[in-house]
Amino acid sequence: MAKPRIFISSTFYDLRQVRSDLDQFIEALGYEPIRNEEGDIPYGKEEELEEYCYKEIKMCDILVCIIGNKYGSESKSEHYSITQRELKTAIEEKKQVYIFIENSAKIFRIA
């Protein structure tokens, strides 16, 4: 039986240690973590680099999204961050999604 594939989505620089720790935890469970910085996503020249991430999400079983204080890079095709588009893609594809909020994140309530 194939290992479940888990895409780790978040901004990179501010959450790189969390991403690394989560990667190790996922592997310890016997699952396959998918992280961009580990070279887990194959890229080509035909599309924007971010589009390959969205395609990879479609081939994963689960998306884990970590929210911190950074917005991240803006998507070239929509007015969202790349992390927001990753989450949106997973929801549209009806993937199982887990969202974690980093302890120091400033969450604002919108009335």
Side-chain angles (χ1 to χ4, degrees):
M1 183 164 93
K3 293 181 182 181
R5 300 178 80 237
I6 302 176
F7 191 99
I8 301 173
S9 175
S10 74
T11 52
F12 174 71
Y13 291 106
D14 58 328
L15 296 172
R16 70 177 148 233
Q17 186 60 52
V18 174
R19 293 171 63 84
S20 178
D21 293 346
L22 185 56
D23 182 279
Q24 292 175 14
F25 177 74
I26 290 168
E27 279 189 341
L29 291 174
Y31 300 161
E32 181 182 357
I34 305 298
R35 287 193 304 152
N36 184 35
E37 65 269 28
E38 291 297 311
D40 297 326
I41 301 170
Y43 291 103
K45 297 178 184 175
E46 296 78 36
E47 299 178 85
E48 294 289 338
L49 293 179
E50 68 184 80
E51 293 299 325
Y52 291 95
C53 290
Y54 311 137
K55 286 181 181 183
E56 192 66 27
I57 290 167
K58 293 176 182 181
M59 295 186 290
C60 287
D61 302 294
I62 298 169
L63 179 124
V64 174
C65 182
I66 308 156
I67 298 172
N69 284 314
K70 302 290 183 189
Y71 179 77
S73 300
E74 189 163 316
S75 169
K76 297 199 185 299
S77 61
E78 291 185 47
H79 295 291
Y80 295 104
S81 73
I82 291 173
T83 304
Q84 287 173 312
R85 278 223 41 223
E86 289 172 346
L87 179 57
K88 187 177 176 195
T89 299
I91 291 169
E92 288 169 353
E93 293 291 318
K94 299 186 181 351
K95 301 295 180 176
Q96 191 168 10
V97 173
Y98 294 92
I99 300 172
F100 296 93
I101 301 173
E102 205 269 331
N103 197 24
S104 67
K106 295 174 180 80
I107 305 298
F108 296 96
R109 182 174 173 206
I110 301 173

